[in-house]
Amino acid sequence: MAVNTWDGAANQHWDDAANWNTTDVTDRIPTDADDVIIPDTSEISNPTLRQNQDVKSLTIGTDGTLVGAGHTITIDAKNGSNFSLDNQGIIDGTLNVKVTGDGGHIREQGTGSINNLEVDLGGSSETHRLSDSITIGSLTITEGDFQPNGRNLTVGGQARINGGTLTCSSGAILFGQTDLSPADSTWGLYVNGGTFTGGSGTHTISHIFGAAGTVTLTSGNTTLNGFNTSSASPLKVTGSTTFAQTAGKVIFNGTNQQSIHLQRSIQFHDVQ
């Protein structure tokens, strides 16, 4: 385990050991054993990904810039401050982030945004949490527990739960674009084997598609603002999905025709 700090001494390429200052060992390209730090890069080159990379944790300091270039960084653990990702700087271009292994916190106080965030904790009982509100392009829960932790979570595209759990106990969530007419790949919330729990915050979701798994709304209001297409409706429950609203209100608020597509019995508490 080492701290590996970008110094950009040679060029902008992440995958060049000459650009890194690694504590206690020969300078190297970061590995999944390294707490990676990108400091202020305003007077040095910005690290730029040319392929997918693995790190233990990632910190982007104030005025530091990371250029994603369409690649993925897999973060396998957390640093001594309990952060898996701590962005105080700039994400430039398209960056995908996959968090695995030990749970940790994600802090997003910089500029730019993550394109796709994937949570895949394997068999770990740990939880990944937000330390600040975040806006991302899409969210995938493959396995493990992810909690916004009372912060606001905005997903411009789809939040997809293939396994594991997404627990939004409070705070505001926004999934999908307003009045989006989706194909199956662009549902605001797509639950296909895991569990989504919505708590006391406000939930604004273009469309919910339950193909398998569980959707539970325990309190707060959920607004569905998508509209019908030939293959989609604002609420579609099929397969083995369990859908239950035990409190709060479900509000259908699209500007065009809306309907419900059910192949399973569901429970509503209050509908508007």
Side-chain angles (χ1 to χ4, degrees):
M1 182 174 65
V3 175
N4 208 344
T5 304
W6 174 264
D7 61 21
N11 49 55
Q12 76 274 24
H13 299 150
W14 176 291
D15 55 325
D16 187 338
N19 289 315
W20 295 96
N21 184 353
T22 313
T23 59
D24 300 327
V25 297
T26 302
D27 290 348
R28 67 189 183 198
I29 301 167
T31 73
D32 59 8
D34 294 349
D35 292 315
V36 172
I37 298 175
I38 300 172
D40 180 352
T41 59
S42 56
E43 296 185 3
I44 60 175
S45 59
N46 298 323
T48 302
L49 298 179
R50 297 195 294 179
Q51 59 194 34
N52 297 341
Q53 299 290 340
D54 287 80
V55 302
K56 176 174 174 272
S57 69
L58 176 63
T59 299
I60 306 174
T62 302
D63 294 324
T65 297
L66 172 61
V67 181
H71 298 291
T72 299
I73 288 184
T74 297
I75 301 175
D76 292 325
K78 55 193 174 186
N79 61 23
S81 299
N82 207 36
F83 288 107
S84 53
L85 172 62
D86 185 3
N87 178 28
Q88 308 283 323
I90 302 165
I91 294 174
D92 186 18
T94 300
L95 176 67
N96 303 309
V97 173
K98 181 178 181 179
V99 292
T100 67
D102 294 338
H105 284 76
I106 296 173
R107 178 161 63 183
E108 176 60 80
Q109 294 183 337
T111 59
S113 63
I114 297 168
N115 178 53
N116 179 67
L117 173 63
E118 180 180 357
V119 178
D120 186 359
L121 304 186
S124 172
S125 60
E126 299 283 349
T127 297
H128 251 84
R129 295 179 173 87
L130 295 182
S131 289
D132 289 280
S133 298
I134 192 171
T135 297
I136 56 179
S138 60
L139 173 67
T140 303
I141 311 295
T142 301
E143 191 171 358
D145 184 28
F146 182 60
Q147 299 181 11
N149 206 29
R151 274 64 177 184
N152 298 338
L153 173 61
T154 300
V155 180
Q158 181 182 103
R160 184 182 182 102
I161 307 174
N162 295 324
T165 61
L166 174 59
T167 305
C168 301
S169 57
S170 59
I173 63 169
L174 173 62
F175 295 160
Q177 302 174 32
T178 300
D179 279 347
L180 183 68
S181 301
D184 285 351
S185 62
T186 53
W187 294 85
L189 174 62
Y190 188 109
V191 180
N192 190 31
T195 299
F196 171 78
T197 302
S200 62
T202 58
H203 319 127
T204 304
I205 305 173
S206 63
H207 301 71
I208 296 176
F209 182 14
T214 302
V215 178
T216 304
L217 306 176
T218 62
S219 59
N221 291 340
T222 300
T223 299
L224 302 178
N225 55 18
F227 56 86
N228 296 343
T229 70
S230 59
S231 61
S233 57
L235 178 60
K236 183 176 181 179
V237 180
T238 66
S240 59
T241 306
T242 299
F243 181 100
Q245 178 204 10
T246 59
K249 183 180 292 186
V250 173
I251 302 168
F252 289 86
N253 193 34
T255 57
N256 289 278
Q257 184 181 25
Q258 294 182 291
S259 64
I260 300 173
H261 180 176
L262 301 179
Q263 295 179 2
R264 297 274 296 174
S265 298
I266 67 174
Q267 174 188 341
F268 278 127
H269 172 75
D270 189 2
V271 178
Q272 176 179 317

